[in-house]
């Protein structure tokens, strides 16, 4: 089969799409013929050895896929060949076939095609967990989303609106803000000029946002700490702009919480809660309230280009590889 393969850590374009052996269905696992793979920021990091997990070589990136089961391993009796599934595979998804533990599979809902299925689990799973369980976002509260034109950011606008919040979407350029507005953001803020804090304060009568979904990190996180409301919750989602060093006096002055969000760990530690979240998310998708913002699809041969678009910050919404 063909796959984008990482044989040693290096820049995204130092790895190639090549022919490798098909995966086998080990006990407890299935093989899935991948129809679409979601691309996300961890793919940029994992091939360079900069992610929190470093798989053994050789490996393919790609943590989420949608496809059709083509082989069943020993001990798997609740799935069959031909089932349409979504799988969170950790890595190995940017390939024609991948193996997945049966416990990580979800049936692809009727309302979804393969592209939506591949675009769905990581970003919506993370955001719903972040806003519901970690941020305890309430109807009528103000939610600030940074990196609002990117993969997880676009889902935070949609889910924030579905939960009844007033959403302020913040991003670095007009193209990303136009997407945010189209997805339902009430207000948009361009932080390309570095003025996030002042603009959010202006939009909230000087109070600041109740919940902040920060998918950017770096200096943007520090600005978020300066425009959070009293008793606000600042959600730590990711760090494409770097891991900031936080002056903790800001948390004291604001009486706010800095709340870590690690969805992957949540799925393993609290599988029932995660399954309930997905029931609710799939229902919202079926009602048309959620729709992955897939702005560009690539072929497997274009995997480098697809991953690089996240690295160089040109990607908008969700990027998918169709196989
Ligand atoms: N906590 C969790 O469980 C969890 C789950 C999934 C993803 N994540 C993390 O969430 C973050 C976003 O992931 P994603 O897949 O949504 O990525 P993405 O689509 O590339 O979006 C990230 C956004 O970050 C902004 N950004 C600022 N500085 C950047 C830089 N130097 N390089 C690249 N982007 C930069 C960009 O928006 P502007 O240009 O508008 O600033 C970009 O749209 C990543 O750190 C990822 O690891 C965390």
């Amino acid at each position: 089969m063909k796959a984008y393969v990482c044989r040693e850590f290096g820049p995204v374009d130092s790895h190639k799409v090549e022919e490798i052996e098909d995966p086998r269905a080990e006990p407890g696992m299935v093989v899935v013929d991948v129809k679409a793979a979601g691309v996300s920021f961890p793919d940029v990091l994992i091939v360079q050895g900069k992610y929190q997990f470093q798989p053994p070589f050789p490996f393919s990136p790609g943590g989420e896929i949608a496809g059709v089961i083509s082989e069943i391993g020993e001990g798997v009796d609740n799935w069959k060949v031909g089932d349409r599934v979504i799988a969170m595979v950790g890595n190995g998804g940017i390939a024609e076939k991948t193996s997945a533990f049966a416990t990580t599979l979800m049936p692809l809902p009727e309302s979804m095609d393969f592209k939506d299925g591949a675009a769905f689990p990581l970003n919506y799973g993370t955001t719903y967990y972040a806003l519901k369980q970690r941020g305890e976002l309430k109807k009528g509260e103000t939610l600030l989303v940074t990196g609002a034109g990117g993969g997880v950011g676009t889902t935070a606008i949609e889910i924030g609106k579905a939960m009844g919040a007033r959403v302020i979407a913040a991003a670095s350029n007009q193209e990303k803000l136009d997407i945010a507005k189209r997805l339902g953001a009430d207000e948009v803020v361009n932080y390309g000029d570095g003025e996030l804090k002042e603009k959010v304060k202006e939009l909230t009568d000087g109070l600041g946002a109740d919940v902040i979904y920060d998918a950017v990190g770096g200096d943007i996180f520090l600005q978020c700490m300066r425009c959070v409301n009293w008793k606000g919750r600042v959600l730590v989602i990711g760090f494409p702009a770097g891991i900031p060093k936080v002056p903790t006096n800001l948390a004291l002055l604001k009486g706010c919480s800095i709340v870590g969000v690690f969805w992957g760990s949540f799925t393993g530690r609290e599988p029932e809660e995660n399954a309930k979240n997905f029931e609710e998310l799939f229902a919202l998708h079926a009602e048309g309230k959620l729709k992955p913002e897939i702005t560009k699809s690539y072929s497997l041969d274009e995997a480098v280009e697809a991953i690089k678009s996240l690295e160089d910050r040109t990607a908008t919404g969700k990027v998918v590889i169709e196989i």
Side-chain angles (χ1 to χ4, degrees):
M1 69 160 184
K2 275 203 302 190
Y4 169 77
V5 182
C6 177
R7 296 190 176 277
E8 59 181 355
F9 293 130
V12 173
D13 55 10
S14 66
H15 314 294
K16 289 195 289 289
V17 175
E18 46 182 284
E19 277 294 329
I20 56 166
E21 261 188 43
D22 287 5
R24 301 288 315 277
E26 302 293 342
M29 301 182 85
V30 303
V31 170
V32 181
D33 287 355
V34 180
K35 301 292 182 191
V39 181
S40 58
F41 206 79
D43 299 322
V44 175
L45 302 176
I46 204 166
V47 298
Q48 302 184 63
K50 294 180 182 169
Y51 195 53
Q52 57 247 49
F53 302 116
Q54 305 196 336
F57 299 117
F59 71 89
S60 300
E64 54 184 346
I65 58 110
V68 179
I69 295 180
S70 57
E71 199 185 322
I72 300 275
E74 200 186 303
V76 177
D77 47 21
N78 51 342
W79 297 98
K80 61 181 188 320
V81 169
D83 282 347
R84 290 160 28 109
V85 292
I86 293 177
M88 285 302 301
V89 288
N91 56 74
I94 302 184
E96 288 178 324
K97 289 172 182 280
T98 193
S99 55
F101 284 100
T103 48
T104 66
L105 300 175
M106 293 183 280
L108 182 72
E110 286 293 315
S111 64
M112 280 189 200
D113 59 18
F114 289 115
K115 270 169 69 176
D116 272 13
F120 206 84
L122 178 64
N123 290 356
Y124 286 97
T126 298
T127 298
Y128 199 35
Y129 168 57
L131 296 181
K132 183 182 162 191
Q133 275 96 355
R134 304 299 287 146
E136 298 180 8
L137 179 67
K138 290 172 202 68
K139 200 172 171 180
E141 284 191 319
T142 299
L143 168 69
L144 168 65
V145 180
T146 66
V152 291
T154 46
T155 64
I157 298 169
E158 282 185 288
I159 294 179
K161 287 309 297 174
M163 290 173 77
R166 173 191 181 216
V167 176
I168 303 176
S172 66
N173 65 42
Q174 196 55 44
E175 184 193 3
K176 292 179 183 182
L177 295 177
D178 289 345
I179 291 173
K181 199 82 195 159
R182 184 164 46 72
L183 291 175
D186 298 286
E187 318 278 355
V188 292
V189 169
N190 188 333
Y191 54 60
D193 53 14
E195 283 182 17
L196 177 66
K197 173 196 149 193
E198 289 78 4
K199 289 175 180 170
V200 172
K201 286 272 188 126
E202 247 172 60
L203 290 169
T204 54
D205 296 330
L207 293 174
D210 302 303
V211 176
I212 302 186
Y213 180 99
D214 178 44
V216 172
D219 176 60
I220 292 294
F221 184 86
L222 298 175
Q223 291 199 54
C224 289
M225 287 297 297
R226 295 176 193 279
C227 62
V228 60
N229 198 356
W230 178 247
K231 289 189 187 173
R233 289 83 77 202
V234 183
L235 303 174
V236 179
I237 306 296
F239 323 100
I243 299 177
K245 290 209 164 37
V246 184
T248 49
N249 64 314
L250 292 177
L252 180 153
L253 291 170
K254 302 285 186 172
C256 74
S257 312
I258 300 173
V259 187
V261 177
F262 188 178
W263 177 68
S265 201
F266 165 71
T267 63
R269 290 166 189 266
E270 300 178 53
E272 291 86 11
E273 280 296 295
N274 183 52
K276 220 160 95 217
N277 280 3
F278 271 90
E279 264 174 44
E280 292 167 17
L281 285 169
F282 288 152
L284 288 169
H285 182 272
E287 286 166 27
K289 292 194 177 140
L290 304 179
K291 172 76 185 152
E293 176 68 16
I294 301 171
T295 46
K296 193 146 185 196
S297 309
Y298 293 82
S299 68
L300 181 56
D301 288 328
E302 297 168 322
V304 168
E305 220 181 295
I307 301 172
K308 268 196 101 51
S309 72
L310 271 69
E311 183 178 38
D312 65 20
R313 217 168 158 175
T314 53
T316 53
K318 181 73 181 178
V319 169
V320 164
I321 295 178
E322 280 189 275
I323 298 166

